[in-house]
Amino acid sequence: MTQDELKQAVARTAIDYVVKNQIIGVGTGSTANFFIDELAKIKGDIKGAVASSEATAARLRGHGIEVFDLNDVPEIAVYIDGADEIDNSGAMIKGGGAALTREKIVASVAKQFVCIADGSKLVEVMGKFPLPVEVIPMARASVARELAKLGGTPKLRLKPGTEEAFVTDNGGYLLDVSGLSITEPKALEAQINQIVGVIAVGLFAARGANVCLLGTAEGVKTLKF
Ligand code: 5RP
């Protein structure tokens, strides 16, 4: 099976976690896109969705799914999203698709976080995938110095094919931090959150996944945390 077929399989399985007549939190990325396409098939069963990015909002609307402003939604039954890495405790690195801050906000309001990922995303220790940190542009260099003190090598994310900084949906910049071995995700998340100028860090440990649907050649495995 290709990686896309594995992503499609978990996206299909995730439909079982959609709570009927509710507003669903929807993540960002290629796996989330497969999920949105599946969600469209049962759109009559849900009230609508809260999107974690402009790209996800556009795809949901393209399928005729109503997109709600999070400020108008007191609670979300389930948030469904992909991950760049996930460990055995349900902690994740996210933000490869640049939507980490809004993903974190929507996830914080959700009762349940269902992570959908192909099997390659499950790791013993996170950190091989560079950890994305969203920062206020004027703090790019000062935050980078602090991240270097933690042992990482931060690199400013650029717009593909240019030398210009990539700008997020929130007007932030992204520092992708390589060289970290994340043995204590909650502690590192708290430490990076303390750095002045950080908008959000792509470590989802304090609020990790409750369930992970993992696509493997043997089928979709369900991990519960
Ligand atoms: C976006 C994310 C994505 O969930 C993560 O990058 C995984 O993406 P994909 O499903 O394309 O592998 O965190 O900010």
Side-chain angles (χ1 to χ4, degrees):
M1 266 174 124
T2 65
Q3 206 179 14
D4 272 357
E5 284 167 340
L6 296 174
K7 289 178 179 186
Q8 220 160 2
V10 290
R12 240 178 270 125
T13 306
I15 291 297
D16 296 343
Y17 289 82
V18 170
V19 184
K20 286 195 175 170
N21 304 315
Q22 295 281 320
I23 294 170
I24 308 303
V26 183
T28 297
S30 56
T31 320
N33 281 344
F34 283 124
F35 171 69
I36 294 167
D37 298 345
E38 293 297 323
L39 192 62
K41 297 177 189 166
I42 58 144
K43 65 183 178 189
D45 290 352
I46 59 165
K47 271 193 196 157
V50 170
S52 60
S53 64
E54 297 299 335
T56 286
R59 196 174 185 99
L60 286 162
R61 287 194 186 103
H63 279 302
I65 297 171
E66 187 173 355
V67 177
F68 288 81
D69 182 327
L70 183 62
N71 291 303
D72 300 326
V73 177
E75 75 172 25
I76 291 175
V78 63
Y79 177 67
I80 298 177
D81 195 1
D84 298 302
E85 285 185 344
I86 180 162
D87 73 9
N88 286 309
S89 73
M92 296 162 283
I93 288 184
K94 293 182 44 53
L100 59 144
T101 300
R102 294 190 189 190
E103 290 173 343
K104 229 174 194 183
I105 294 168
V106 183
S108 76
V109 178
K111 279 196 189 152
Q112 198 182 32
F113 189 135
V114 177
C115 171
I116 48 176
D118 68 85
S120 69
K121 307 287 182 70
L122 182 67
V123 298
E124 278 294 315
V125 176
M126 295 187 292
K128 197 168 171 204
F129 189 93
L131 177 64
V133 180
E134 185 168 355
V135 300
I136 296 288
M138 76 171 287
R140 168 183 56 80
S142 59
V143 172
R145 285 192 292 274
E146 293 304 312
L147 292 169
K149 286 183 197 162
L150 298 177
T153 305
K155 197 172 167 206
L156 181 67
R157 196 179 297 184
L158 301 177
K159 273 186 214 160
T162 75
E163 291 301 309
E164 281 170 57
F166 178 91
V167 180
T168 70
D169 285 349
N170 315 305
Y173 286 176
L174 289 168
L175 296 170
D176 291 308
V177 188
S178 54
L180 295 170
S181 174
I182 306 175
T183 50
E184 295 191 50
K186 276 189 191 158
L188 185 64
E189 181 178 12
Q191 211 172 0
I192 295 176
N193 277 334
Q194 295 287 344
I195 302 173
V196 175
V198 166
I199 299 172
V201 53
L203 254 181
F204 287 56
R207 204 288 176 251
N210 301 103
V211 175
C212 179
L213 303 174
L214 206 63
T216 74
E218 295 79 45
V220 176
K221 291 189 179 158
T222 304
L223 312 179
K224 290 189 176 162
F225 307 102

